């Protein structure tokens, strides 16, 4: 049994908010396969691709993991105030790099993700549910805006996004999830929620090589084999790279074992202007402080990823 707060007898009760997405898929498969998470639902958001594709992909990932009874709920179709980006060149036209996934075994709920989340958080004990956010923060901002009392009941909000001292991946200082919806990120960062943000400063340091893919495939579970294929597809979108960053899995790894990450308490604001820096993070000492993961024990995190994906 791993030596940390989450294990199969005390799984983390969580909702995953996501735009799958290759690395989202690896993160979700880890959560489903490890047994260390009690996934109460998956809410989807437009990001890597449009909402029909990200919602279908959430269902396909559940089907691959042979999991039924976990609701998929579609959320925001577009950012609060902008057009969004196209990442087909990274994640493929299907969002999952062309890797074969089964069709969803169950349709999405006929509900909106934001009201569904608000109802769930209100119904369940306060401080009992983690929100694991792997995409643009549009659904989260709408929750803060439309149901602030419910948002205050979140135990931990752990979100991948932004770049603090690290160069961006969309612009010189901007990272995809925050640049896709800077207004939403600004609402979430200033809401005073128990937020841990994981920017590129940490996620770029958790990298998988082709050897790591082979090792994952050899673990033999459907989740590990699919993750190996997904990361290989991620290689195919680039040339000459020796390793690829595993951005979104960092969220699950930090949830399960926070001590793998080096946290700093920072006040941050989001550039909501119209320049190429729209979505950039700035240090803002007057802003509500949040935990920011600036470093990661990459070897320990990769080992934990493999352990979770390989659990029979
Ligand atoms: C983030 O952008 C998306 O393309 C990935 O899924 C990840 O959430 C990394 O910048
Ligand atoms: Ca994502």
């Amino acid at each position: 049994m791993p030596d940390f707060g989450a294990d199969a007898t005390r799984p983390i009760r969580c909702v995953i908010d996501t735009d799958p997405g290759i690395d989202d898929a690896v993160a979700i498969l880890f959560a489903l396969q490890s047994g260390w998470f009690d996934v109460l639902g998956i809410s989807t958001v437009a990001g890597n691709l449009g909402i029909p594709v990200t919602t279908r992909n959430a269902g396909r990932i559940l089907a691959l993991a042979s999991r039924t009874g976990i609701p998929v709920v579609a959320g925001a179709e577009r950012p609060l105030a902008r057009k969004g980006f196209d990442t087909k060149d990274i994640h493929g036209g299907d969002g999952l790099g062309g890797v074969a996934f089964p069709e969803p075994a169950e349709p999405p709920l006929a509900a909106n993700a934001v009201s569904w989340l608000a109802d769930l958080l209100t119904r369940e004990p306060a401080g009992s549910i983690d929100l694991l956010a792997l995409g643009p923060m549009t659904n989260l901002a709408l929750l803060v805006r439309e149901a602030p009392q419910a948002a205050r009941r979140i135990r931990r909000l752990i979100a991948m996004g932004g770049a603090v001292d690290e160069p961006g991946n969309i612009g010189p200082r901007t990272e995809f999830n925050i640049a896709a919806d800077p207004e939403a990120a600004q609402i979430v960062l200033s809401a005073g929620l128990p937020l841990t943000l994981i920017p590129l400063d940490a996620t770029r340091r958790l990298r998988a090589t082709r050897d790591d893919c082979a090792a994952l495939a050899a673990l033999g579970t459907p989740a590990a084999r699919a993750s190996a294929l997904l990361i290989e597809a991620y290689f195919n979108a680039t040339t000459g790279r020796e390793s690829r960053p595993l951005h979104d899995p960092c969220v699950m790894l930090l949830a399960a074992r926070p001590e793998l990450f080096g946290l700093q308490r920072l006040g941050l604001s989001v550039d909501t202007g119209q320049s190429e820096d729209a979505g950039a993070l700035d240090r803002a000492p007057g802003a509500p402080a949040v935990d920011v993961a600036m470093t990661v024990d990459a070897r320990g995190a990769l080992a934990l990823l493999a352990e979770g994906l390989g659990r029979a």
Side-chain angles (χ1 to χ4, degrees), residues 19-25 47-48 87 90-91 133-136 160-162 169-170 175-178 200 203 234 247-248:
D19 61 336
I22 286 178
D23 56 332
D24 302 73
N48 287 318
T87 67
I90 305 279
H91 297 271
L134 314 180
M160 190 278 137
N169 60 3
I170 280 283
E175 178 280 335
F176 176 83
N177 284 344
I178 292 193
L200 294 177
T203 67
Y234 211 15
H247 303 294
D248 290 340

Side-chain angles (χ1 to χ4, degrees), residues 79-190:
L80 294 184
R82 304 186 187 235
K83 195 165 151 288
F85 299 111
D86 187 342
T87 67
K88 283 196 186 68
D89 51 336
I90 305 279
H91 297 271
D94 67 351
L96 298 177
V99 176
F101 272 75
E103 284 306 307
E106 296 168 329
L109 287 191
N112 169 270
V114 177
S115 359
W116 176 83
L117 256 172
D119 288 350
L120 179 77
L121 288 163
T122 305
R123 203 169 57 233
E124 296 295 325
S128 68
I129 296 176
D130 286 355
L131 205 42
L132 305 179
L134 314 180
M137 298 190 188
T138 321
N139 290 339
L140 312 180
L142 290 169
L143 181 73
V144 167
R145 227 195 227 170
E146 293 170 13
Q149 309 278 25
R152 276 197 278 280
R153 297 167 74 85
I154 294 171
R155 184 174 81 126
R156 294 183 296 181
L157 168 58
I158 306 175
M160 190 278 137
V164 179
D165 296 328
E166 181 76 8
N169 60 3
I170 280 283
R173 299 184 55 229
T174 54
E175 178 280 335
F176 176 83
N177 284 344
I178 292 193
D181 196 343
E183 286 73 17
Q186 177 56 31
I187 289 171
V188 172
L189 278 167
S190 57

Side-chain angles (χ1 to χ4, degrees), residues 26-103:
V26 175
I28 296 167
L29 287 169
F30 171 81
L32 296 173
Q33 185 68 33
S34 61
W36 303 329
F37 296 79
D38 178 7
V39 181
L40 305 176
I42 300 181
S43 55
T44 57
V45 63
N48 287 318
L49 287 119
I51 199 80
V53 181
T54 60
T55 304
R56 172 169 170 255
N57 284 350
R60 294 170 78 202
I61 295 162
L62 287 169
L64 183 124
S66 303
R67 295 291 293 269
T68 51
I70 296 178
V72 172
V73 202
E77 288 176 14
R78 62 184 65 84
L80 294 184
R82 304 186 187 235
K83 195 165 151 288
F85 299 111
D86 187 342
T87 67
K88 283 196 186 68
D89 51 336
I90 305 279
H91 297 271
D94 67 351
L96 298 177
V99 176
F101 272 75
E103 284 306 307

Side-chain angles (χ1 to χ4, degrees), residues 261-287:
F261 292 80
L263 301 182
Q264 281 182 28
R265 203 91 190 125
L266 296 177
L268 295 170
S269 67
V270 183
D271 185 326
T272 52
Q274 299 301 324
S275 76
E276 67 171 2
D277 281 343
L281 292 176
D282 292 304
R283 283 184 163 82

